[in-house]
Amino acid sequence: MKADVSEELKLLDEMARDFAAKELVDEREEHDRFPFAPLYDSVLSKALEVGFFAVMLPEEAGGSAEPVSALCLVLDEICQADASLGATIFTNALAQEIIRQAGGASLLAEMASEDGSFQQSLIAFPSYNNPGEVDHCARAARDAGGYELSGDVPYVVLGGVVNRALLPAKTEGPDGYSFFLVDLKSQGVEVSEPVLSLGMHSCPAVDLALGGVIGTLVGTEGEGSAYYEAAVDRLSVAAAAMAAGTMKGSFTGAFEYSKEREQGGRHIVDWSGLRIILADMAVKARAADMLVEKAAGAVDREEPGWQQQSRAAALVVGGMATDATTDGIQALGGYGYMKDYPQEKRFRDAKQIQSLLGITHMRRLEFIQRVVDGEAAW
């Protein structure tokens, strides 16, 4: 997705590609052992230093003039090497976007200027759940000093890694839910051990139990769903970019393996059956690339129907990635299932990427509901 982008974005893309090659590829399997191996803190610090977590910030705070296209370029390149860091960048960007939708641009700028550590700069968020679709929402009670949050918030991504989280909670009075910023180091916050996930192990999630924890209301009470859906409109295409990058990595791995592996006295890339598999993977990766570039540009330019373009890209490319990464395993035969090769990791990662922003079937139903309500399907 580089055919028609600005020089600024081309430089960012090149930087992300170099970063992935230097910081992610060699230790990918070791990084994926978390929580049974240390988390790659130094990689997160370097990613913060080069600005990958600031792309969606307001321009005056270091963000991009084309934030969604820039984010998609970074995620595409990073996820070709290791989708775990992509999920970390995505989760932080989603929390930042919700705060921005709630009118908190100045708050984001203040947070960006704090101590400069990734623990203080990044924001944890339950990025696999649509808060409007779950019953287990925390409760927020107003008191003289603000709000106190109590209850459980499951599967908060980065909740055990960083110091601050954006959490949904229901309040007395208005229907719906609200968002609150919570200091995860404050009294009353219980953090579980990392929840072992299917994929993207280096972007861990934890369950939180809150007991009278002070929270700072973000935006207007009861308007959480509006902020969340507006953020999903903009960042669905970023989830598609993660899926596209993962399938490109899977194709590259399968293609390089097939040029080296010999069977029956020939390199297996010369067998027509394998070429069909590689062709299917390459076609899907090319189609995904075009979809993501088109949709990301439409979001940044706010072209008519950009919201549906963004959501459709995530649904389609997410499915394509699960198919392509399955082929990526098949291309390596029995080796494809071994952890010594990254194809099985990419397969797991692709399935987990598909779960970002809520259950896939619910997102499909939301798409058609908008069409029923009068929005154009294309």
Side-chain angles (χ1 to χ4, degrees), residues 190-208:
E190 293 185 18
V191 180
S192 76
E193 293 295 318
V195 179
L196 189 58
S197 57
L198 174 66
M200 300 189 291
H201 294 164
S202 296
C203 180
V206 296
D207 297 332
L208 298 180

Side-chain angles (χ1 to χ4, degrees), residues 79-212:
C79 290
Q80 288 186 48
D82 187 346
S84 287
L85 181 58
T88 301
I89 296 170
F90 178 88
T91 295
N92 181 68
L94 178 59
Q96 290 173 334
E97 180 62 21
I98 290 171
I99 294 172
R100 193 187 71 84
Q101 292 290 342
S106 59
L107 176 61
L108 289 172
E110 291 173 15
M111 291 162 60
S113 64
E114 293 181 354
D115 72 0
S117 68
F118 74 82
Q119 292 91 343
Q120 194 64 24
S121 299
L122 274 60
I123 309 170
F125 186 75
S127 50
Y128 292 97
N129 292 325
N130 180 338
E133 296 173 355
V134 297
D135 294 329
H136 42 68
C137 203
R139 307 293 302 189
R142 193 198 304 262
D143 68 7
Y147 293 84
E148 287 189 354
L149 277 64
S150 299
D152 298 332
V153 187
Y155 217 76
V156 179
V157 181
L158 303 178
V161 177
V162 301
N163 297 343
R164 180 162 39 205
L166 181 69
L167 301 176
K170 292 182 178 178
T171 58
E172 296 293 334
D175 292 333
Y177 62 90
S178 310
F179 281 111
F180 297 86
L181 274 172
V182 172
D183 180 354
L184 296 175
K185 302 302 180 185
S186 62
Q187 188 174 8
V189 178
E190 293 185 18
V191 180
S192 76
E193 293 295 318
V195 179
L196 189 58
S197 57
L198 174 66
M200 300 189 291
H201 294 164
S202 296
C203 180
V206 296
D207 297 332
L208 298 180
L210 310 177

